[in-house]
Amino acid sequence: MMTRDERYLALAIEQAKKAATLGEVPVGAVIVSREGVIAAGYNKRERDKNPLAHAEIEAIGKAAAAEGDWRLSDCELFVTLEPCAMCAGAIVTCRIKRVVFGAFDPAAGCLGSAVDLSLLPFARDMEVIGGVLLAPCEKLLSDFFDGQRRREKRVETTESEA
Protein backbone atom coordinates (compact mmCIF):
# COMPACT_ATOMS: atom_id res chain seq x y z
CA MET A 1 0.00 0.00 0.00
CA MET A 2 1.31 3.43 -0.95
CA THR A 3 1.83 6.19 1.57
CA ARG A 4 0.21 9.59 1.09
CA ASP A 5 3.52 11.05 -0.15
CA GLU A 6 3.94 8.19 -2.62
CA ARG A 7 0.40 8.65 -3.98
CA TYR A 8 0.97 12.34 -4.70
CA LEU A 9 4.44 11.73 -6.10
CA ALA A 10 2.94 9.09 -8.39
CA LEU A 11 0.73 11.86 -9.79
CA ALA A 12 3.85 13.97 -10.37
CA ILE A 13 5.39 11.01 -12.22
CA GLU A 14 2.35 11.00 -14.54
CA GLN A 15 3.04 14.68 -15.25
CA ALA A 16 6.70 13.86 -15.94
CA LYS A 17 5.64 11.26 -18.49
CA LYS A 18 3.72 13.98 -20.35
CA ALA A 19 6.94 15.99 -20.57
CA ALA A 20 8.79 12.95 -21.92
CA THR A 21 6.24 12.51 -24.73
CA LEU A 22 7.13 16.06 -25.84
CA GLY A 23 10.86 15.29 -25.78
CA GLU A 24 11.28 17.33 -22.60
CA VAL A 25 13.34 16.33 -19.58
CA PRO A 26 10.73 14.29 -17.68
CA VAL A 27 10.03 16.34 -14.59
CA GLY A 28 6.53 16.66 -13.17
CA ALA A 29 5.03 18.44 -10.19
CA VAL A 30 1.75 18.61 -8.29
CA ILE A 31 0.70 21.02 -5.56
CA VAL A 32 -1.65 19.91 -2.82
CA SER A 33 -3.69 21.99 -0.38
CA ARG A 34 -6.24 20.92 2.21
CA GLU A 35 -8.68 20.33 -0.67
CA GLY A 36 -6.31 17.94 -2.48
CA VAL A 37 -4.47 18.53 -5.76
CA ILE A 38 -4.92 22.13 -6.88
CA ALA A 39 -2.26 22.35 -9.60
CA ALA A 40 0.04 20.26 -11.75
CA GLY A 41 2.79 20.98 -14.22
CA TYR A 42 5.56 19.46 -16.28
CA ASN A 43 8.63 20.71 -18.12
CA LYS A 44 7.95 22.63 -21.34
CA ARG A 45 11.23 24.50 -21.86
CA GLU A 46 11.95 23.10 -25.32
CA ARG A 47 8.37 23.32 -26.54
CA ASP A 48 7.87 26.88 -25.31
CA LYS A 49 11.49 27.99 -25.91
CA ASN A 50 11.30 29.39 -22.39
CA PRO A 51 13.96 28.79 -19.72
CA LEU A 52 11.36 29.46 -17.02
CA ALA A 53 9.02 26.65 -18.15
CA HIS A 54 9.95 24.22 -15.39
CA ALA A 55 7.36 21.87 -13.89
CA GLU A 56 7.50 23.56 -10.48
CA ILE A 57 7.08 27.07 -11.88
CA GLU A 58 4.09 26.00 -13.97
CA ALA A 59 2.47 24.30 -10.96
CA ILE A 60 3.16 27.27 -8.66
CA GLY A 61 1.54 29.67 -11.14
CA LYS A 62 -1.55 27.49 -11.41
CA ALA A 63 -1.74 27.01 -7.63
CA ALA A 64 -1.52 30.75 -6.99
CA ALA A 65 -4.37 31.29 -9.46
CA ALA A 66 -6.43 28.53 -7.81
CA GLU A 67 -5.82 29.93 -4.33
CA GLY A 68 -6.20 33.55 -5.38
CA ASP A 69 -2.97 34.43 -3.57
CA TRP A 70 0.77 34.25 -4.19
CA ARG A 71 1.25 32.88 -0.68
CA LEU A 72 0.95 29.11 -0.77
CA SER A 73 1.79 28.58 2.91
CA ASP A 74 -0.82 25.83 3.36
CA CYS A 75 0.42 23.91 0.31
CA GLU A 76 2.79 21.04 -0.36
CA LEU A 77 4.77 20.44 -3.55
CA PHE A 78 5.47 16.96 -4.90
CA VAL A 79 8.07 16.87 -7.70
CA THR A 80 9.96 14.08 -9.43
CA LEU A 81 13.39 15.78 -9.34
CA GLU A 82 15.02 17.91 -6.66
CA PRO A 83 14.35 21.57 -7.57
CA CYS A 84 17.01 23.78 -9.15
CA ALA A 85 17.99 27.20 -7.78
CA MET A 86 15.26 29.05 -9.69
CA CYS A 87 12.53 26.66 -8.60
CA ALA A 88 13.77 26.40 -5.00
CA GLY A 89 13.78 30.20 -4.86
CA ALA A 90 10.19 30.34 -6.12
CA ILE A 91 9.16 27.64 -3.62
CA VAL A 92 10.67 29.61 -0.74
CA THR A 93 9.21 32.89 -2.01
CA CYS A 94 5.64 31.58 -2.20
CA ARG A 95 6.08 29.96 1.23
CA ILE A 96 5.23 26.38 0.35
CA LYS A 97 5.41 24.54 3.67
CA ARG A 98 6.56 21.14 2.48
CA VAL A 99 8.41 19.73 -0.52
CA VAL A 100 8.59 16.04 -1.35
CA PHE A 101 10.81 15.02 -4.27
CA GLY A 102 11.89 11.79 -5.90
CA ALA A 103 15.32 11.87 -7.53
CA PHE A 104 18.24 13.81 -6.09
CA ASP A 105 20.18 16.16 -8.39
CA PRO A 106 23.79 16.20 -7.15
CA ALA A 107 24.86 18.75 -9.78
CA ALA A 108 22.07 21.32 -9.55
CA GLY A 109 19.68 20.34 -6.75
CA CYS A 110 19.08 23.22 -4.38
CA LEU A 111 17.12 21.56 -1.57
CA GLY A 112 19.99 19.54 -0.17
CA SER A 113 22.29 18.20 -2.88
CA ALA A 114 24.38 21.01 -4.41
CA VAL A 115 23.11 23.60 -1.90
CA ASP A 116 20.12 23.82 0.44
CA LEU A 117 18.02 26.95 0.11
CA SER A 118 15.56 25.57 2.67
CA LEU A 119 18.14 26.30 5.38
CA LEU A 120 18.15 30.04 4.75
CA PRO A 121 16.44 32.10 7.46
CA PHE A 122 13.71 33.34 5.12
CA ALA A 123 12.67 29.76 4.22
CA ARG A 124 10.34 29.77 7.26
CA ASP A 125 10.86 26.20 8.45
CA MET A 126 10.02 24.51 5.17
CA GLU A 127 10.08 20.72 5.43
CA VAL A 128 11.95 18.87 2.66
CA ILE A 129 11.83 15.12 2.05
CA GLY A 130 13.84 13.58 -0.78
CA GLY A 131 14.10 10.10 -2.22
CA VAL A 132 10.38 9.23 -2.26
CA LEU A 133 9.71 6.79 -5.14
CA LEU A 134 13.38 7.25 -5.95
CA ALA A 135 13.74 4.29 -8.35
CA PRO A 136 10.88 5.18 -10.72
CA CYS A 137 11.89 8.86 -10.74
CA GLU A 138 15.51 7.99 -11.52
CA LYS A 139 14.43 5.51 -14.20
CA LEU A 140 12.36 8.14 -16.00
CA LEU A 141 15.39 10.42 -16.14
CA SER A 142 17.94 7.74 -17.05
CA ASP A 143 15.70 6.32 -19.80
CA PHE A 144 15.25 9.82 -21.22
CA PHE A 145 18.95 10.66 -21.23
CA ASP A 146 19.92 7.20 -22.55
CA GLY A 147 17.52 7.82 -25.44
CA GLN A 148 19.03 11.25 -26.05
CA ARG A 149 22.53 9.77 -26.19
CA ARG A 150 21.41 7.02 -28.61
CA ARG A 151 19.79 9.60 -30.92
CA GLU A 152 22.94 11.78 -30.83
CA LYS A 153 25.10 8.75 -31.64
CA ARG A 154 22.87 7.83 -34.63
CA VAL A 155 23.13 11.40 -35.95
CA GLU A 156 26.93 11.35 -35.59
CA THR A 157 27.13 7.98 -37.36
CA THR A 158 24.88 9.17 -40.21
CA GLU A 159 26.88 12.38 -40.64
CA SER A 160 30.23 10.50 -40.72
CA GLU A 161 28.89 8.13 -43.39
CA ALA A 162 27.82 11.00 -45.64
Side-chain angles (χ1 to χ4, degrees):
M1 188 159 148
M2 292 180 104
T3 67
R4 177 182 179 278
D5 286 352
E6 290 170 337
R7 284 194 311 274
Y8 285 124
L9 199 52
L11 295 175
I13 289 171
E14 292 307 311
Q15 293 295 309
K17 289 177 181 177
K18 291 178 184 180
T21 65
L22 298 174
E24 299 280 351
V25 175
V27 178
V30 296
I31 295 182
V32 175
S33 76
R34 290 181 297 278
E35 293 79 38
V37 175
I38 59 168
Y42 53 91
N43 275 1
K44 295 178 183 171
R45 290 186 304 174
E46 298 299 329
R47 188 197 79 175
D48 294 354
K49 307 295 184 230
N50 180 353
L52 305 176
H54 288 212
E56 301 95 323
I57 300 300
E58 181 176 327
I60 287 169
K62 290 177 181 178
E67 294 289 291
D69 195 349
W70 65 268
R71 292 173 196 85
L72 301 175
S73 54
D74 289 330
C75 295
E76 300 170 89
L77 171 71
F78 295 82
V79 61
T80 57
L81 178 65
E82 181 180 359
C84 69
M86 175 182 69
C87 294
I91 292 162
V92 168
T93 298
C94 70
R95 303 177 182 172
I96 288 176
K97 69 178 178 181
R98 187 167 182 263
V99 178
V100 177
F101 67 84
F104 293 87
D105 187 349
C110 290
L111 289 180
S113 290
V115 297
D116 194 345
L117 295 182
S118 73
L119 298 176
L120 296 172
F122 53 82
R124 295 182 175 81
D125 300 320
M126 177 175 47
E127 180 183 4
V128 177
I129 299 170
V132 175
L133 295 182
L134 178 65
C137 290
E138 286 181 333
K139 183 169 177 17
L140 267 174
L141 291 162
S142 64
D143 288 352
F144 174 80
F145 288 114
D146 287 347
Q148 292 285 94
R149 285 188 285 278
R150 283 193 301 276
R151 280 187 287 284
E152 289 171 8
K153 191 170 189 172
R154 280 196 299 267
V155 169
E156 289 172 9
T157 303
T158 305
E159 288 174 352
S160 67
E161 292 172 355

